[in-house]
Amino acid sequence: MPTNNHDYVTHNCDHYDGHRLNHLNKRKYGEEADICIVGAGAAGGVLAYELSKAGFKVVVIEAGPFWNPQTDFASDELAMESLAWNDTRLVAGNNPLTMGHNNSGRGVGGGTVHFTGVFFRFHESDFRVKTLDGVGEDWPITYADLAPYYAKIEKDIAVSGPRHFPWGPFQGPYPYPEREPISANSQIFRRGCERLGIRSVVAPLAILSAPFDGRPPCINRGFCNQGCMPNAKFSTLIHHIPKAIGYGAEVLSDCMVTQVLVDKTGKVTGVTFVHDKQEYFQKAKIVILANFCIETPRLLLHSACPEFPDGLANSSGMVGKALMTHSGHDVYCKFDDEVRLYKGTPVLAVSQEFYETDPSRGFVRGYTLNAHGARPLGLSKALVSRAGIWGKKLYDIMRDYNFYARVTLVGEVLPNKQNSVTLSDEKDEYGIPRPLVTFSYGENDNKLIAHGVKKAQEILEAAGGKESFVIPDSAHLMGGCRMGNDPATSVVDGFCRSHDIPNLYICSASVFVTSGGCNPTETVMAIAARTADYIIHEAHKG
């Protein structure tokens, strides 16, 4: 345990009005927090807000910067690659994952700073795949457990969506009306769907369609993935974290947590972190790891000690196991008229017509199709690195960039223990072993991908597209510390509390049991809100 007694700088805010108002305060080393939250992304932001509002003394520790949208974001693809976690991660398996922008964030707000804003609830079937389809595992919670938290989150951040959403248990209405107008790419998608008898709707989005909470509505600038400068798109950076700070929470940015410490009784005492090459210890009564699906297993395994020689919370051996992604293959078709994929919010139309299991397809589970914009730099890099397209064909595609439309698959991937996060022999600048991320698609995953790609091609061709090509991709990370009722097969219980360590919680997409067939952010936030309620309730009992 470090013994440095120097003061260190914390970032604090009286409020957030679109400008960085971080007052540099001095804070004595060793001051105990009621709750220390590691990570300030989708889950960490919600937890910080709800728990500080309830009167807990909350400290949030975030590895990346405290962004200011007006000065730190730019309408530029290359400049904003800094929003992702770009540290070296080693990959392996038959389908090694591309790490970075498409599945992780770094900085206050985490991935919500650069996500597309697509905001789906999981379906009832997502929580019961073992019972319904004989694969994976059932969650220890149901859709009904999360339903009130889905509704709360949607209201709290003013989600915009269609008047009627025809799939799943929630069919609208959303708090704010659907976005309009929609992009040419989304119009093409909806036209193709209509011609094939496939239902589609305007996407539910965590992006404002009207003023809310001092923030303006979206004007379709289209730079959602580069960080929204006007603050029309939700992120915990601009919503939950400033409110949490208003309730007294402290946010320590640019601080890399390196270890979770426990005492001889097996309880967590706090975490060590590094800021400006100096190591500190943050003491806490409760520690919540909300630092996502790679860093959470990495930290737990690295924190092995005599009391927990195989890593913290790992009596089941499931820490780092059953990592999941979404198959995110992109299908492009060329059109006679200009589409201009860069125009408008990236995703403005969706279909979940193929979400639920249909035995006639030859695989279980399903997927969402998103009409998804693209920017030229991202497209050219993906053509080379993922599709293996070079030379004249690459030149021709990029020359005709403005004439292409795109549909993206968000396909469910079944949990597999062999897909994992482990520690490598190589260490980073903090002396922590770099994570080794091993991933391979299974037979069911590949059948689902083939079906989804074919449907996307059919939709684009029905709208007049031709000369299609496919870029294999993945998006969103889930699993690695899954929840369950049985401590022998899971890491946390249904309230995200570690089976092994009573004052350690893990709350992020890492606790997902299955991946679902849609974007996971709303479910991450709903789980976080439910976990916060549980912690508050347990404290009142005591």
Side-chain angles (χ1 to χ4, degrees):
M1 181 183 301
T3 57
N4 187 314
N5 286 314
H6 289 89
D7 295 342
Y8 60 87
V9 173
T10 77
H11 297 299
N12 210 334
C13 301
D14 290 330
H15 64 285
Y16 189 100
D17 63 358
H19 299 282
R20 181 175 302 178
L21 297 173
N22 297 334
H23 305 296
L24 300 182
N25 299 319
K26 292 292 184 178
R27 185 170 172 280
K28 289 292 183 182
Y29 159 83
E31 188 176 342
E32 185 176 39
D34 292 327
I35 299 172
C36 174
I37 301 169
V38 181
V46 171
L47 289 162
Y49 168 62
E50 297 293 346
L51 293 170
S52 61
K53 184 173 66 172
F56 290 95
K57 182 177 180 181
V58 175
V59 174
V60 184
I61 306 180
E62 166 58 44
F66 200 127
W67 305 108
N68 177 352
Q70 279 67 57
T71 58
D72 294 333
F73 297 168
S75 299
D76 180 270
E77 283 186 88
L78 190 59
M80 299 322 297
E81 288 183 353
S82 61
L83 296 177
W85 195 302
N86 294 313
D87 288 6
T88 298
R89 288 158 165 175
L90 308 179
V91 294
N94 296 333
N95 306 102
L97 298 178
T98 300
M99 308 305 297
H101 195 279
N102 65 336
N103 53 32
S104 60
R106 185 183 181 96
V108 176
T112 64
V113 169
H114 61 79
F115 77 146
T116 56
V118 177
F119 224 62
F120 289 120
R121 298 185 183 198
F122 270 18
H123 292 201
E124 291 169 312
S125 65
D126 288 319
F127 301 91
R128 303 176 62 237
V129 299
K130 182 69 175 290
T131 297
L132 295 174
D133 298 309
V135 295
E137 297 291 339
D138 288 346
W139 292 54
I141 61 176
T142 66
Y143 174 85
D145 292 321
L146 287 186
Y149 297 99
Y150 281 137
K152 170 183 168 55
I153 293 294
E154 288 162 0
K155 182 179 179 182
D156 284 354
I157 67 173
V159 172
S160 63
R163 296 172 183 85
H164 176 66
F165 189 82
W167 308 282
F170 175 74
Q171 301 198 341
Y174 288 89
Y176 269 34
E178 66 186 38
R179 289 280 312 284
E180 56 182 16
I182 63 173
S183 63
N185 186 60
S186 293
Q187 292 177 42
I188 287 169
F189 175 78
R190 298 205 69 187
R191 185 163 68 244
C193 285
E194 183 177 10
R195 289 176 179 173
L196 295 175
I198 297 171
R199 293 175 296 177
S200 70
V201 296
V202 175
L205 296 167
I207 302 175
L208 298 180
S209 59
F212 171 76
D213 201 24
R215 293 161 45 210
C218 179
I219 57 172
N220 263 327
R221 293 174 62 255
F223 285 95
C224 306
N225 298 131
Q226 285 70 44
C228 178
M229 294 174 68
N231 290 341
K233 187 188 78 169
F234 157 81
S235 70
T236 53
L237 167 69
I238 65 167
H239 186 85
H240 290 99
I241 290 295
K243 293 178 186 292
I245 290 170
Y247 283 111
E250 291 185 90
V251 178
L252 313 183
S253 57
D254 294 299
C255 294
M256 178 68 177
V257 173
T258 55
Q259 197 166 16
V260 180
L261 300 181
V262 297
D263 61 22
K264 292 183 179 179
T265 70
K267 288 189 175 182
V268 167
T269 58
V271 303
T272 58
F273 66 91
V274 174
H275 173 73
D276 197 21
K277 298 183 180 181
Q278 181 64 58
E279 188 176 64
Y280 301 94
F281 173 67
Q282 175 60 57
K283 190 176 182 182
K285 297 172 184 174
I286 293 174
V287 171
I288 307 177
L289 301 184
N291 52 335
F292 215 46
C293 303
I294 305 300
E295 294 307 308
T296 296
R298 180 192 188 197
L299 184 59
L300 291 169
L301 295 172
H302 178 61
S303 298
C305 59
E307 291 76 19
F308 300 99
D310 298 322
L312 302 190
N314 196 29
S315 64
S316 64
M318 287 301 295
V319 168
K321 300 297 195 299
L323 182 75
M324 297 169 287
T325 186
H326 281 139
S327 46
H329 291 51
D330 300 312
V331 178
Y332 290 81
C333 271
K334 187 178 176 182
F335 286 78
D336 293 332
D337 295 326
E338 287 191 344
V339 178
R340 295 189 179 268
L341 277 170
Y342 62 88
K343 281 184 172 287
T345 297
V347 178
L348 282 167
V350 301
S351 177
Q352 290 192 339
E353 201 79 336
F354 308 99
Y355 195 95
E356 303 289 352
T357 294
D358 180 346
S360 68
R361 298 179 197 144
F363 60 88
V364 297
R365 310 306 304 149
Y367 55 86
T368 298
L369 293 175
N370 292 337
H372 201 311
R375 294 198 170 273
L377 179 61
L379 173 57
S380 61
K381 289 171 65 176
L383 285 167
V384 171
S385 63
R386 300 194 198 108
I389 294 176
W390 298 77
K392 184 178 186 300
K393 188 173 182 180
L394 173 64
Y395 173 83
D396 289 343
I397 290 172
M398 294 312 301
R399 179 198 61 206
D400 296 331
Y401 161 80
N402 283 333
F403 293 87
Y404 280 96
R406 173 193 182 192
V407 176
T408 295
L409 169 70
V410 181
E412 179 161 355
V413 167
L414 298 181
N416 179 345
K417 292 181 183 178
Q418 302 307 310
N419 292 333
S420 63
V421 179
T422 55
L423 300 182
S424 71
D425 294 331
E426 182 179 324
K427 294 186 177 181
D428 66 9
E429 66 269 33
Y430 303 102
I432 306 174
R434 296 193 188 279
L436 172 62
V437 182
T438 303
F439 183 81
S440 303
Y441 286 121
E443 181 182 0
N444 192 82
D445 305 329
N446 285 320
K447 288 180 178 179
L448 184 153
I449 290 167
H451 189 276
V453 166
K454 182 180 178 182
K455 284 297 174 186
Q457 288 172 327
E458 290 173 357
I459 289 168
L460 291 173
E461 289 169 1
K466 53 191 177 183
E467 298 180 34
S468 71
F469 61 86
V470 179
I471 299 179
D473 201 0
S474 63
H476 315 132
L477 290 176
M478 296 149 286
C481 292
R482 75 179 178 198
M483 62 166 64
N485 291 324
D486 185 355
T489 59
S490 59
V491 178
V492 299
D493 65 18
F495 291 102
C496 297
R497 188 177 190 174
S498 162
H499 290 304
D500 298 346
I501 304 173
N503 63 336
L504 174 65
Y505 289 75
I506 300 166
C507 190
S508 67
S510 62
V511 304
F512 280 31
V513 181
T514 54
S515 65
C518 65
N519 305 55
T521 305
E522 183 173 5
T523 298
V524 171
M525 294 172 65
I527 289 172
R530 184 172 183 267
T531 298
D533 262 7
Y534 175 77
I535 292 172
I536 294 165
H537 179 263
E538 290 297 293
H540 288 162
K541 278 173 52 178

